[in-house]
Amino acid sequence: MKNLTSYLTLNFSFSPSEMEQLLGCFALRTLKKKDYYLKEGQYCKSVGFIEKGNFIYYQIVNGEEKICDFAFENDWVTHYKSLLGNLPSEISIKALENAELYILNLDKIELLSETLPKVNAIRTTLAEQYFTKSTQRATSLTNLDAKARYQALLKEIPFIHQRVPQYYIASYLGIKPQSLSRIRAMK
Amino acid sequence: MKNLTSYLTLNFSFSPSEMEQLLGCFALRTLKKKDYYLKEGQYCKSVGFIEKGNFIYYQIVNGEEKICDFAFENDWVTHYKSLLGNLPSEISIKALENAELYILNLDKIELLSETLPKVNAIRTTLAEQYFTKSTQRATSLTNLDAKARYQALLKEIPFIHQRVPQYYIASYLGIKPQSLSRIRAMK
DNA sequence: CTTTTATGTTCACCTATGTGAATAAATGGC
DNA sequence: GCCATTTATTCACATAGGTGAACATAAAAG
């Protein structure tokens, strides 16, 4: 729980005993490459903290996997709308590498909110993070051309080419793999 | 408070006395056409319920107003990220018509959460609504062409042309006014 | 190691949207 | 009701990105 512990320590101010209580509510879940954290149609009932590995969020549209998000170590993984609204998920979340998640179930979150109100700070952070990510993506899609979006993504996630196939990157950027190749070739 | 009262009655289950307590926390704010609910750089400290009127959310990019959202009667208006994270807003929210808002200040929300925990359902609805809107916009920008995005918008907000100038609609769709004209002419 | 499959590149051509200008129509102020 | 301003349309041309194919390379499977 190395990453999780330091993430919580760095970003929130829990006392040692609170931290112990909190960590006790997480359960380890290991996923193999290509395993799903969540499949379209399922109800998302937990949030996961990525201790190791990475994930794509995607939707199938006309038979194509349309990538709408990436997540790496120290990110949270969940489908926010499904979790909040108790709705079936429209998206799937798949591991691209063997992964380790620390899972916090929704019922535990509710319980913790009562006994340890500070965890609400985590909920707020999560909401803010998800909201920010999706609005930034929309903003970037309307205000920048494909090359500029690619450069912004590289700046945000410099190691992305080491961990995500290029056609997934293209999909996230809203272009075809050939177009991303062309953009890269132009330099 | 006609719209606010029926919105709360329809979507949540407050008792008459809870409703009274809740409504008592809102304050009326009237805005003239072109007035701002929030300006870029300000800290958003409230949510507003639109009793009457409409609003655009926008950012200035290269001197252009880039529209990222619309809001009408029975919508909530706030900058979610600024509100949650206590951050200066990157966007401005402007009335396009004379408007009436019922304002709920952040401190009142916090207080209510304690005395009337049911209001958390409103907070959750807000989070879900904002998250859904922005992810849908990003999805539509990557998966649909401009014509299909326009048709989807018309379906979602059929009266939009009666209440929003067309160049704002074009901006929201991520295209130039001339392109929207062309799309409309093609039928 | 060899074969198969997955991924990335390049190319020629096509299409949707951008650009800038001219014009028309609608709206608001007086 | 008239003029100024704002908003919408149309056009000719430019450009970014899509399409489908061929090929190249890398990775996985046997």
Side-chain angles (χ1 to χ4, degrees):
Chain A
M1 313 185 89
K2 199 159 146 283
N3 284 338
L4 175 56
T5 309
S6 60
Y7 170 87
L8 291 173
T9 308
L10 271 154
N11 294 288
F12 306 95
S13 53
F14 295 108
S15 71
S17 79
E18 286 170 342
M19 186 68 99
E20 199 189 323
Q21 185 193 348
L22 182 50
L23 289 175
C25 294
F26 284 86
L28 178 63
R29 179 165 158 204
T30 61
L31 291 171
K32 294 238 175 72
K33 190 171 170 166
K34 295 187 184 170
D35 280 352
Y36 287 86
Y37 169 74
L38 182 71
K39 276 192 184 170
E40 191 187 331
Q42 291 179 337
Y43 289 74
C44 182
K45 296 292 187 191
S46 63
V47 302
F49 179 87
I50 306 179
E51 183 74 21
K52 191 165 162 304
N54 69 356
F55 292 83
I56 48 169
Y57 292 54
Y58 70 89
Q59 251 178 311
I60 303 282
V61 181
N62 306 327
E64 280 180 87
E65 290 181 348
K66 297 275 189 172
I67 311 301
C68 58
D69 206 356
F70 303 113
F72 296 90
E73 284 82 5
N74 299 312
D75 287 333
W76 294 97
V77 63
T78 190
H79 184 45
Y80 199 59
K81 185 180 169 187
S82 174
L83 184 79
L84 278 191
N86 192 32
L87 297 164
S89 174
E90 304 120 2
I91 61 147
S92 299
I93 304 179
K94 185 166 78 170
L96 293 185
E97 306 165 348
N98 295 336
E100 289 172 20
L101 290 178
Y102 286 106
I103 300 288
L104 185 56
N105 281 311
L106 185 53
D107 49 10
K108 289 248 169 84
I109 302 175
E110 307 286 0
L111 271 176
L112 273 172
S113 291
E114 286 165 31
T115 59
L116 185 54
K118 273 191 203 169
V119 295
N120 286 315
I122 301 182
R123 295 173 96 164
T124 301
T125 302
L126 244 161
E128 198 188 317
Q129 177 192 299
Y130 271 100
F131 178 71
T132 302
K133 270 180 143 180
S134 65
T135 52
Q136 268 185 8
R137 180 145 181 265
T139 301
S140 138
L141 286 163
T142 47
N143 300 343
L144 306 176
D145 66 12
K147 186 176 187 181
R149 296 202 294 279
Y150 176 55
Q151 290 168 337
L153 180 63
L154 284 185
K155 198 171 166 194
E156 193 198 341
I157 312 178
F159 52 83
I160 192 151
H161 273 291
Q162 281 76 64
R163 304 190 57 187
V164 177
Q166 192 165 311
Y167 60 94
Y168 283 148
I169 300 175
S171 172
Y172 177 81
L173 294 171
I175 59 178
K176 300 287 153 182
Q178 297 97 311
S179 299
L180 183 50
S181 259
R182 171 160 47 195
I183 285 167
R184 281 159 55 81
M186 290 188 306
K187 189 57 201 163
Chain B
M1 314 185 90
K2 199 161 145 280
N3 284 338
L4 176 55
T5 309
S6 61
Y7 170 87
L8 292 173
T9 308
L10 270 154
N11 294 287
F12 305 97
S13 52
F14 294 108
S15 71
S17 80
E18 285 170 342
M19 187 67 99
E20 199 189 324
Q21 185 193 348
L22 182 49
L23 290 175
C25 294
F26 284 87
L28 177 64
R29 180 166 157 205
T30 59
L31 290 171
K32 294 239 176 71
K33 191 171 171 166
K34 294 187 184 171
D35 281 352
Y36 287 86
Y37 170 75
L38 183 72
K39 276 192 183 170
E40 190 186 332
Q42 291 180 336
Y43 289 74
C44 182
K45 294 294 187 189
S46 62
V47 302
F49 179 88
I50 306 179
E51 183 74 21
K52 192 164 162 307
N54 69 354
F55 292 82
I56 49 170
Y57 292 55
Y58 71 89
Q59 251 178 312
I60 303 283
V61 181
N62 306 328
E64 278 180 88
E65 290 182 346
K66 297 276 190 172
I67 311 300
C68 58
D69 206 356
F70 303 112
F72 297 89
E73 284 83 4
N74 299 312
D75 286 334
W76 293 97
V77 62
T78 191
H79 185 46
Y80 198 61
K81 186 179 169 188
S82 174
L83 183 80
L84 278 190
N86 192 31
L87 297 164
S89 174
E90 304 122 2
I91 60 148
S92 299
I93 304 179
K94 184 166 77 169
L96 293 185
E97 306 164 349
N98 294 335
E100 289 172 20
L101 289 178
Y102 285 106
I103 300 288
L104 185 57
N105 281 310
L106 185 54
D107 49 9
K108 289 248 169 83
I109 303 176
E110 306 286 1
L111 271 176
L112 273 173
S113 290
E114 286 166 31
T115 59
L116 185 54
K118 273 191 203 168
V119 297
N120 286 315
I122 300 182
R123 294 173 98 162
T124 302
T125 301
L126 245 162
E128 198 189 317
Q129 176 193 299
Y130 271 100
F131 178 71
T132 302
K133 270 181 143 181
S134 65
T135 52
Q136 269 185 7
R137 179 144 183 265
T139 302
S140 138
L141 286 163
T142 48
N143 300 344
L144 305 176
D145 67 10
K147 186 177 185 180
R149 295 201 294 280
Y150 175 56
Q151 291 168 335
L153 180 63
L154 284 186
K155 198 172 165 193
E156 194 197 341
I157 313 180
F159 51 83
I160 193 152
H161 273 291
Q162 281 78 64
R163 304 191 55 188
V164 178
Q166 193 165 309
Y167 62 94
Y168 283 148
I169 298 175
S171 172
Y172 177 81
L173 294 171
I175 59 178
K176 299 289 155 181
Q178 298 96 313
S179 299
L180 182 50
S181 260
R182 173 162 43 200
I183 286 166
R184 281 159 55 80
M186 290 190 306
K187 190 56 200 167

